[in-house]
Amino acid sequence: MRTKEGNKEQDILEAAIKIFAESGYHNAKIHKIAELAGVATGSVYVYYENKEMILLTIFAKLWDKLFLELKEIAESKDIDAVEKFDMMIDLLFDTFIQDPALAIVFVNEQNYLLQKSPEKFTLYYEKFLDLGEAIVNEGISNGVFNTKIDVKMIRSFIFGGMRLLLHQWANNPDSVSLHHIRQNVKYFCKKGLLN
Amino acid sequence: MRTKEGNKEQDILEAAIKIFAESGYHNAKIHKIAELAGVATGSVYVYYENKEMILLTIFAKLWDKLFLELKEIAESKDIDAVEKFDMMIDLLFDTFIQDPALAIVFVNEQNYLLQKSPEKFTLYYEKFLDLGEAIVNEGISNGVFNTKIDVKMIRSFIFGGMRLLLHQWANNPDSVSLHHIRQNVKYFCKKGLLN
DNA sequence: CCCTTTATTGAATCAATATTCAAAAATAAA
DNA sequence: TTTATTTTTGAATATTGATTCAATAAAGGG
């Protein structure tokens, strides 16, 4: 009997995020991922069925985390909608500030996956956006947010805007502080949403 | 002497937009583009150096058009900043409403090109965003737009938000009217921007 | 210390497709 | 017509890189 040394599954995933971020999914070579992870090329296939499964795993874990944390926020009884909205923005920024490479992969490859195998994760993605929508709707019911706005649309708009800013930041983290971006986004969105 | 029949260069470009939209750039096959354009595989290479040049040409033409038209708007003396802002949003929506496939390619492949050969077209892209920024700055000088906002940031935010909405619409044009999207975007942004 | 089991390896395979190019076809001028 | 020139063709080539798998290594139980 031989036992597994270290956590190659995780090592490979982390290496893949870096390589995908650097070269883009389609130009990323499996042997480069293996090299960075410190394993043999073949080992990658012991842990992941194929290249696409690696990408899928990255996204599944990310959306899972985001969904669970936003759920916590959305369901909290003693926080008002405006505050929840703030926390949602923070959640996204905080998630990516810890891993710029993940932010790049997220922005660049999300559309590809959505096109390639929607059934596999449209679910998570939609569930997350639905929670965001619920928060805004709560604000509307309570009379703090504007009723003139189509919430489904604005949730996508805000999400798209944040995505682009995150991407720019992740590609060049020194050019602007994420804190500054975050402040502006919150200010702009709340001004747009509030009565 | 033999003369060219029709306009294969254009036919190929139009076919490429459709195929890229449908399969994504990386999964698009040259022979499929040729087939749709009604030419032989080899003919594609008579008109375009390689696959990437086709994509580059699509973007160059698009950005060129957008830049020139926004320039017209931005430089006009007898339109105020708020109206110019409106027209800018309209310009983007009008461009893509005529060609949903182009909208999909635009959203999906822009980041790839930006990463692959920034030098080749960062220029156009930046020039367009700069014009948008100038419009907002004009509104600030005239006291109609809010000074608390970082214009460079918000121009990206708005652009990113519109991009995502366009993408959703282009993938499923019947689900929402682009007119409705446009109204909401204008309303939300102006509320966010105005004093 | 051997044996069995499981983990790891990486060179060889193999499929996919972008690109090339020699041949064929079409046109216009002579 | 014939010829010269340019366009078009699509089968053949060449490359690349994902995936496989037989061989090797390590670990634990007996």
Side-chain angles (χ1 to χ4, degrees):
Chain A
M1 247 275 284
R2 183 183 179 179
T3 48
K4 293 186 180 174
E5 19 176 293
N7 188 347
K8 296 204 193 310
E9 189 171 342
Q10 183 63 23
D11 293 347
I12 292 166
L13 208 66
E14 283 168 17
I17 290 172
K18 294 205 184 88
I19 299 290
F20 288 164
E22 197 171 295
S23 323
Y25 173 73
H26 295 281
N27 280 86
K29 320 294 176 210
I30 294 290
H31 76 94
K32 283 274 170 197
I33 294 174
E35 188 182 42
L36 186 59
V39 303
T41 308
S43 297
V44 173
Y45 289 86
V46 171
Y47 293 96
Y48 299 93
E49 196 186 327
N50 52 38
K51 194 177 171 185
E52 192 173 317
M53 274 305 298
I54 303 177
L55 188 62
L56 223 40
T57 305
I58 293 170
F59 273 84
K61 288 195 171 180
L62 174 60
W63 279 117
D64 202 27
K65 170 197 184 304
L66 287 174
F67 173 72
L68 287 174
E69 297 198 13
L70 186 57
K71 191 174 151 80
E72 194 92 353
I73 294 169
E75 287 174 352
S76 168
K77 297 284 178 200
D78 39 37
I79 307 176
D80 72 22
V82 180
E83 176 73 5
K84 282 181 184 175
F85 184 83
D86 248 43
M87 290 171 80
M88 176 174 71
I89 308 270
D90 282 336
L91 169 60
L92 281 163
F93 280 113
D94 287 339
T95 300
F96 293 115
I97 206 168
Q98 287 161 32
D99 193 348
L102 183 60
I104 294 179
V105 176
F106 173 66
V107 174
N108 283 341
E109 316 302 346
Q110 161 103 357
N111 288 343
Y112 165 69
L113 265 193
L114 216 43
Q115 184 171 53
K116 181 84 175 198
S117 36
E119 72 291 351
K120 297 231 180 74
F121 85 104
T122 302
L123 196 70
Y124 274 124
Y125 172 54
E126 285 290 328
K127 272 164 69 186
F128 180 83
L129 287 185
D130 284 348
L131 281 177
E133 192 182 323
I135 291 177
V136 175
N137 277 326
E138 186 188 327
I140 289 178
S141 309
N142 299 347
V144 285
F145 282 162
N146 199 308
T147 53
K148 285 225 187 86
I149 278 169
D150 180 327
V151 179
K152 272 212 182 331
M153 194 155 302
I154 291 307
R155 72 172 195 186
S156 290
F157 182 81
I158 294 174
F159 185 66
M162 287 183 64
R163 230 172 58 164
L164 183 56
L165 286 174
L166 272 169
H167 188 250
Q168 291 178 348
W169 167 79
N171 274 301
N172 197 354
D174 300 322
S175 67
V176 251
S177 89
L178 204 56
H179 177 75
H180 182 61
I181 294 179
R182 184 194 302 223
Q183 293 309 317
N184 268 273
V185 169
K186 284 182 185 173
Y187 178 79
F188 180 76
C189 290
K190 282 196 278 187
K191 203 154 172 310
L193 285 173
L194 286 169
N195 257 326
Chain B
M1 247 278 284
R2 183 182 180 180
T3 49
K4 291 186 179 172
E5 22 177 288
N7 189 347
K8 294 202 193 313
E9 189 172 340
Q10 184 63 22
D11 294 346
I12 292 167
L13 208 66
E14 283 168 17
I17 291 173
K18 294 203 182 91
I19 299 290
F20 287 165
E22 198 171 294
S23 323
Y25 173 74
H26 294 281
N27 279 85
K29 319 296 177 210
I30 295 290
H31 74 92
K32 283 276 173 196
I33 294 173
E35 189 181 44
L36 186 60
V39 303
T41 308
S43 296
V44 173
Y45 289 86
V46 171
Y47 293 94
Y48 299 93
E49 199 186 324
N50 52 39
K51 193 178 172 186
E52 191 173 319
M53 274 306 296
I54 303 176
L55 187 63
L56 222 42
T57 305
I58 293 170
F59 273 85
K61 287 195 173 183
L62 174 62
W63 279 117
D64 201 27
K65 170 197 185 302
L66 287 175
F67 172 73
L68 288 174
E69 297 196 15
L70 186 58
K71 191 175 152 79
E72 194 94 352
I73 295 169
E75 287 174 352
S76 167
K77 297 285 178 198
D78 39 38
I79 307 176
D80 73 22
V82 180
E83 176 73 5
K84 281 181 184 174
F85 184 83
D86 248 44
M87 290 171 81
M88 177 174 70
I89 308 270
D90 282 335
L91 169 60
L92 280 163
F93 280 113
D94 287 339
T95 300
F96 293 115
I97 206 171
Q98 287 160 32
D99 193 348
L102 182 60
I104 293 179
V105 176
F106 173 65
V107 174
N108 284 341
E109 316 302 346
Q110 161 102 358
N111 288 344
Y112 165 69
L113 266 192
L114 217 44
Q115 184 170 53
K116 181 84 176 198
S117 35
E119 69 292 353
K120 296 230 180 75
F121 85 104
T122 303
L123 196 69
Y124 274 124
Y125 172 55
E126 284 291 327
K127 273 163 70 185
F128 180 84
L129 287 185
D130 284 349
L131 281 177
E133 192 182 325
I135 291 176
V136 176
N137 276 327
E138 185 187 326
I140 290 178
S141 308
N142 298 348
V144 285
F145 282 162
N146 198 307
T147 54
K148 285 225 188 86
I149 278 170
D150 180 327
V151 179
K152 273 212 183 331
M153 194 156 299
I154 291 308
R155 73 174 193 183
S156 290
F157 182 82
I158 294 175
F159 186 65
M162 288 183 64
R163 232 172 58 163
L164 184 56
L165 287 175
L166 274 169
H167 188 251
Q168 291 179 348
W169 166 78
N171 274 302
N172 197 355
D174 301 323
S175 67
V176 249
S177 88
L178 203 57
H179 177 75
H180 181 62
I181 295 179
R182 185 193 302 224
Q183 294 309 316
N184 268 274
V185 168
K186 284 182 184 175
Y187 178 79
F188 180 76
C189 290
K190 282 196 279 189
K191 201 153 173 310
L193 284 172
L194 287 169
N195 255 327

